[in-house]
Amino acid sequence: MSDKPLNDDFNELDADMAETNAEHGLDADPSDNLAPLDAVIAERDEWKDRALRVAAEMENLKRRAETQQNDARAFAIQRFAKDLLGVADNLERALMAAPKDTDGPTVALVTGLEMTQKALLQAFETNGLKRVAPEAGEAFNPHLHQAMIEQPSDTVPGGAVLQTMQSGFELFGRTIRPAMVVVAAKGSGAQGANPYGAAPAPEGQTFDGKA
């Protein structure tokens, strides 16, 4: 009996299986099956990158718009604000010169001046005009302060503000008038005790270590 018909049957079966696998993509290279997925991932990353760039651009536009708006407001009221600074200075001088320990009408006058100054400064704050009056010991800021005098001090370190002579003002972060201040001289500040300042001599005399 010949095996030829049997071989033909096997060959035909193999051909049918190959055709079926080809129809279902089973014989394709696995890397070819992932190609569409890779394309989708690449497209997703591209759109994500575009979205991040757009968000960054929108944030920059928002910041520029806020800066331009503040500049426009500052320009609109800057001249008017400077004119009002003289009123604020006169109120402050009046309060500094007013007697502290008094009775009767003088007390009411001082209280009225204090309330007027408070209301004026509050109106300044509402419109973005902030008072700059550094306390003793605060760091000197050349953008906000103007050094008028330099004096030695035992309590304030050198280079720090010692006293405010005249208050300054800033409008939306822009200095309208710097505060005039007294600055502690170099080498100022609390000095530590000198262990050699005074020591008894063997004979009972005092030895001055500073000499």
Side-chain angles (χ1 to χ4, degrees):
M1 182 176 180
S2 175
D3 294 335
K4 184 175 182 182
L6 185 58
N7 292 335
D8 292 341
D9 292 339
F10 279 119
N11 292 334
E12 185 177 355
L13 181 60
D14 291 339
D16 293 339
M17 291 179 64
E19 184 178 356
T20 302
N21 291 338
E23 292 178 355
H24 291 82
L26 298 178
D27 290 341
D29 190 353
S31 60
D32 295 338
N33 294 335
L34 296 178
L37 181 59
D38 292 339
V40 172
I41 294 176
E43 185 176 2
R44 181 207 62 183
D45 293 341
E46 182 179 356
W47 281 107
K48 182 179 179 180
D49 183 65
R50 291 183 180 180
L52 292 175
R53 291 183 181 180
V54 171
E57 291 178 359
M58 294 299 296
E59 185 66 23
N60 291 333
L61 287 174
K62 180 181 178 181
R63 292 177 181 176
R64 284 198 295 268
E66 291 178 353
T67 302
Q68 292 175 357
Q69 183 179 6
N70 290 337
D71 290 343
R73 291 181 61 188
F75 179 78
I77 66 176
Q78 181 173 351
R79 185 173 181 179
F80 179 66
K82 285 184 176 180
D83 292 338
L84 287 179
L85 295 186
V87 178
D89 293 339
N90 290 333
L91 278 175
E92 189 169 2
R93 294 190 188 99
L95 286 173
M96 293 178 62
K100 304 301 180 183
D101 300 328
T102 56
D103 296 327
T106 306
V107 176
L109 176 61
V110 173
T111 303
L113 289 175
E114 292 176 347
M115 294 178 63
T116 302
Q117 184 190 41
K118 183 178 180 181
L120 181 61
L121 294 178
Q122 186 175 0
F124 285 171
E125 288 278 352
T126 302
N127 291 276
L129 187 62
K130 296 182 179 180
R131 184 169 176 260
V132 179
E135 299 290 339
E138 291 188 21
F140 178 81
N141 187 343
H143 300 289
L144 297 175
H145 310 152
Q146 181 178 356
M148 304 301 295
I149 305 175
E150 190 178 37
Q151 293 181 353
S153 173
D154 296 334
T155 58
V156 176
V161 175
L162 182 60
Q163 180 185 357
T164 297
M165 301 175 62
Q166 185 182 55
S167 300
F169 289 88
E170 60 174 347
L171 183 63
F172 297 112
R174 180 180 300 176
T175 302
I176 300 299
R177 187 184 73 185
M180 298 181 182
V181 299
V182 179
V183 180
K186 184 178 180 181
S188 298
Q191 303 294 329
N194 184 3
Y196 304 102
E203 294 81 3
Q205 300 177 353
T206 301
F207 172 76
D208 187 1
K210 297 181 180 179

